[in-house]
């Protein structure tokens, strides 16, 4: 009986640490990665501004080849929308909110499974005969203390996917 009481006490202390500690964490997160691509901004922009091309270079649909994707709105640029459903990667909706040809694609994301939204951008700038592209995202995980722990881990979780996607984008832009 003493062991059960001790285990219960440990579980309660851990739950308190998770909940109270989570309340002390910021709900805000920000992730950013950058690379240089040996291709002009116009070539990189064409691969980024068309949501149908994202499957060629992002990593999420490679982890789930059965991911269902649909497109609506404009074919590319501001107003282009794509949605996905995946058993392993979750479901979501990305809307391109602002574009500046050969320079910037801004987007908003909605993840219904988590009830969260975030915003981000892919910014391209000429550099050294090529293009520096920076992919960023920021958001707010809300008041849930457990989601705040997730906000703390977002750079590690999403950052590696951004790095892999940018590496694939680089290969694609430089080879075509």
């Amino acid at each position: 009986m003493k062991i059960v009481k001790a285990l219960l006490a440990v579980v309660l202390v851990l739950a308190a640490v998770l909940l109270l500690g989570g309340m002390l964490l910021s709900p805000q997160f920000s992730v950013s990665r950058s690379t240089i691509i040996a291709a002009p901004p116009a070539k990189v922009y064409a691969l980024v501004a068309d949501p149908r091309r994202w499957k060629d270079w992002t990593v999420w649909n490679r982890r789930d080849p059965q991911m269902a994707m649909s497109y609506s709105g404009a074919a590319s640029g501001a107003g282009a929308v794509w949605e996905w459903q995946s058993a392993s990667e979750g479901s979501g909706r990305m809307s391109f909110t602002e574009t500046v040809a050969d320079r910037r694609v801004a987007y908003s994301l909605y993840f219904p499974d988590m009830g969260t939204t975030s915003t981000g951008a892919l910014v391209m700038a000429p550099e050294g005969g090529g293009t520096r592209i920076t992919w960023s995202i920021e958001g707010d995980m809300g008041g849930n203390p457990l989601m705040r722990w997730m906000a703390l881990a977002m750079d590690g979780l999403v950052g590696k996917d951004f790095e892999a996607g940018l590496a694939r984008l680089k290969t694609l832009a430089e080879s075509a």
Side-chain angles (χ1 to χ4, degrees):
M1 191 65 155
K2 285 184 178 182
I3 292 175
V4 173
K5 286 182 180 180
L7 285 174
L8 183 59
V10 168
V11 168
L12 290 174
V13 168
L14 287 175
V17 167
L18 279 175
L19 293 175
L20 295 175
M23 291 304 294
L24 298 174
L25 296 173
S26 171
Q28 308 276 322
F29 70 89
S30 178
V31 179
S32 182
R33 296 294 189 273
S34 185
T35 193
I36 297 176
I37 298 176
K43 191 171 189 180
V44 177
Y45 178 82
L47 295 169
V48 171
D50 180 351
R52 289 166 182 80
R53 297 300 310 264
W54 281 53
K55 68 182 179 301
D56 298 335
W57 57 271
T58 60
V59 298
W60 302 291
N61 61 303
R62 297 203 179 283
R63 289 196 294 247
D64 179 8
Q66 303 304 315
M67 180 182 289
M69 290 182 271
S70 63
Y71 305 93
S72 61
S76 68
V81 176
W82 66 295
E83 296 181 66
W84 61 93
Q85 294 179 336
S86 168
S88 64
E89 302 301 304
S91 299
R93 175 186 170 101
M94 176 182 277
S95 304
F96 293 168
T97 57
E98 175 192 11
T99 56
V100 178
D102 305 340
R103 297 280 181 210
R104 175 180 164 85
V105 174
Y107 60 86
S108 66
L109 280 172
Y110 173 62
F111 296 101
D113 298 339
M114 297 174 18
T116 60
T117 59
S118 54
T119 58
L122 290 108
V123 177
M124 294 142 276
E127 185 170 316
T131 304
R132 172 172 293 279
I133 183 165
T134 301
W135 190 359
S136 62
I137 188 169
E138 58 187 37
D140 187 320
M141 297 304 251
N144 182 328
L146 298 178
M147 293 297 283
R148 289 179 177 209
W149 285 103
M150 189 170 177
L152 185 65
M154 286 299 279
D155 190 74
L157 295 171
V158 176
K160 65 182 179 179
D161 290 345
F162 279 18
E163 291 166 7
L166 289 173
R168 291 189 55 77
L169 180 62
K170 178 179 175 71
T171 299
L172 186 62
E174 291 177 353
S175 67

